[in-house]
Structure formats: C-alpha cells, structure tokens
Amino acid sequence: MFNYGFIVIALFITCAATATGENTASPVPIASPSPLPITKQESVKLLREFIRTQKNGLSALKHRQNLELKELEAAQRARKKEWMVKYQGVLNDCVAEKRKKKGNREECVQEYREHRKVFQQILRDERLQRVREQDVRYKSLLADQASRFREFKEYLVKAERPPYWLWQGH
C-alpha cells in the first residue's frame, strides 16, 4: 500500500516554506504572465525552424500514408492469390461437371469472369476509400498547420516568443 501521509506532510512543508518566503525550486517551468520579447534575428530563426518543422510533419505523414498503401496492396495481393486458388478449383469442378453432362463450359467461364470482376472492383473500392481517408487527414493537417502558422506569425510581428503549444502536433 502507498502511504498517503507522506505526500500530505510533503505538501504541508512545501506550503509552509512558500508562506515564509523561502525560495523553493519548481520542477515544472511556470509560464510567465507576459510573453518573452525577442529580437528580429531570433524571430527569423524561429520562423525558419517552425517552417522546417511543419514541412517535416507533412513529409512524415506522407511517408506513413505511403507505407499504409504498400501494406494494403500486399494484403490485397495475398487475398487475390487466395481467391484465385479457390475459384480456380470451383471453375475446374464446374467444367468437369459440364463435361459429364455434355453441357456448355462457357457458362462456367462466364460466371468465373463475373465473380472475378466483382472481386477486383471490391479491391479497387477498398484502395480508393483508403486514399480518400488519407487525403482528408492530409488536408486536415494542412489546415491545422496554416492556422498555427498564422498564430506563430502574429507573435513574431509583436516581437514576442511564440508559445510552445504552437510547435506541438507537427
């Protein structure tokens, strides 16, 4: 069991030290009430770094999306192989049955082609859906980055250091 009494005593000592005016170091940086002023050279450096960070964020997203598409294509190739093996057996059985009954084998081939066409359309639709989802994510990131960039520039125009939260999410 964890001893909560220790935490209460530590808090009491910290509060008492603060009340008496002793300097206690805070492990977490405290945000200053007013933004820190910066020079023109610092603002140019910050802007370059911010733009580079945003570009890296976009390229990382594109890289992840390309990997997703490659994984999808590999999975689809495997599914297609399984489908071909399965339906090739069905086609062979159908043709063998038609031979016994002296029927037209073309019906089996036509049915096979229709099934294959439907299956290929399912695979195309699946890939198209993934590409659309990725496009939405990409456009969303672009919009988010544009709004962060505008805010970032506003701080630089006022010669203030932009807050850290603008850098997050790239």
Side-chain angles (χ1 to χ4, degrees), residues 2 5 14 18-19 31 41-42 50-51 61 67 69 76-77 81 83 85 96-97 103 113 119 126 145 160 163:
F2 188 75
T14 305
T18 306
Q41 292 84 9
E42 288 176 319
F50 188 76
I51 291 171
L61 178 67
L67 289 178
L69 282 180
Q76 285 183 341
R77 277 193 302 273
K81 280 184 182 179
W83 188 92
V85 167
E97 187 178 315
R113 288 181 182 151
F119 180 71
E126 191 177 277
Q145 285 188 348
E160 297 174 352

Side-chain angles (χ1 to χ4, degrees), residues 23-65:
N23 187 8
T24 58
S26 174
V28 179
I30 299 173
S32 62
S34 62
L36 299 173
I38 57 173
T39 64
K40 182 71 173 168
Q41 292 84 9
E42 288 176 319
S43 70
V44 169
K45 287 179 183 178
L46 284 173
L47 184 61
R48 282 186 191 144
E49 182 67 22
F50 188 76
I51 291 171
R52 187 178 63 78
T53 303
Q54 285 193 328
K55 285 181 182 178
N56 287 343
L58 283 175
S59 88
L61 178 67
K62 281 305 233 181
H63 179 70
R64 284 191 307 270
Q65 289 179 341

Side-chain angles (χ1 to χ4, degrees), residues 10-24:
L11 285 174
F12 179 76
I13 292 172
T14 305
C15 291
T18 306
T20 60
E22 292 180 25
N23 187 8
T24 58

Side-chain angles (χ1 to χ4, degrees), residues 146-170:
S147 68
R148 287 176 187 263
F149 183 74
R150 281 191 298 275
E151 287 185 57
F152 195 86
K153 289 279 287 194
E154 288 173 9
Y155 279 99
L156 294 181
V157 166
K158 295 186 279 185
E160 297 174 352
R161 183 173 298 281
Y164 179 73
W165 62 267
L166 285 174
W167 294 80
Q168 297 173 342
H170 296 289

Side-chain angles (χ1 to χ4, degrees), residues 53-100:
T53 303
Q54 285 193 328
K55 285 181 182 178
N56 287 343
L58 283 175
S59 88
L61 178 67
K62 281 305 233 181
H63 179 70
R64 284 191 307 270
Q65 289 179 341
N66 285 337
L67 289 178
E68 283 179 11
L69 282 180
K70 286 180 182 179
E71 289 173 4
L72 175 68
E73 289 166 0
Q76 285 183 341
R77 277 193 302 273
R79 285 175 43 206
K80 189 173 181 178
K81 280 184 182 179
E82 291 173 8
W83 188 92
M84 294 295 283
V85 167
K86 176 183 173 186
Y87 274 92
Q88 191 64 41
V90 170
L91 177 64
N92 290 342
D93 293 345
C94 181
V95 169
E97 187 178 315
K98 293 289 183 181
R99 264 194 207 129
K100 287 180 185 176

